Amino acid sequence: MSNYLVAMEAAWLVRDVEDVDDAIGVAVSEAGKRLNEQDKEYVEVEVGVTPCPACGEPFDSAFIAANTALVGLLLEIEVFNADGENHATRIAKSEVGGALRDVPLSVIEVVETETEED
């Protein structure tokens, strides 16, 4: 059994905003609040990045139209004692998805981490 770091992308909708920075702040805050209410403080929440189609430089994953924003969040969770990457993915989606109901989640990376040997 191994430990894995699972990174997921979430699509977060924020209404009544005029500024990208406000949308990002609201999205991160709301996601963190919902995770904390379910005792999931160990899930890291950050704004995601998207590469510019023209130059390839990364920029924050947020888009505003009609005072409504779609913010791409990056969620990371450490999964311990999983049987493999697929098992770690299922555990991560279950843990995070249970707290963030009705929020689309997509696994973007699974990395096996070192286990501590006594």
Side-chain angles (χ1 to χ4, degrees):
M1 299 190 101
S2 300
N3 300 335
Y4 295 88
L5 179 65
V6 181
M8 293 176 283
E9 184 176 49
W12 201 274
L13 198 61
V14 181
R15 299 183 191 282
D16 299 323
V17 292
E18 296 178 9
D19 183 87
V20 170
D21 291 332
D22 289 341
I24 290 169
V26 169
V28 170
S29 177
E30 287 179 356
K33 180 180 176 186
R34 284 177 58 181
L35 288 162
N36 289 342
E37 287 173 352
Q38 298 292 317
D39 296 325
K40 309 277 190 239
E41 298 88 10
Y42 47 85
V43 178
E44 295 291 325
V45 180
E46 300 175 6
V47 65
V49 293
T50 301
C52 173
C55 66
E57 288 293 315
F59 62 92
D60 292 338
S61 292
F63 176 77
I64 295 180
N67 292 339
T68 302
L70 178 62
V71 180
L73 295 178
L74 176 65
L75 309 170
E76 292 183 338
I77 181 172
E78 182 86 22
V79 177
F80 300 98
N81 299 322
D83 290 331
E85 286 187 15
N86 288 338
H87 187 223
T89 297
R90 288 194 312 272
I91 292 169
K93 286 181 92 172
S94 175
E95 285 287 308
V96 175
L100 303 179
R101 297 217 182 274
D102 301 323
V103 175
L105 293 174
S106 176
V107 174
I108 55 175
E109 186 175 26
V110 180
V111 177
E112 187 172 359
T113 58
E114 304 253 338
T115 57
E116 291 185 20
E117 304 274 332
D118 292 339

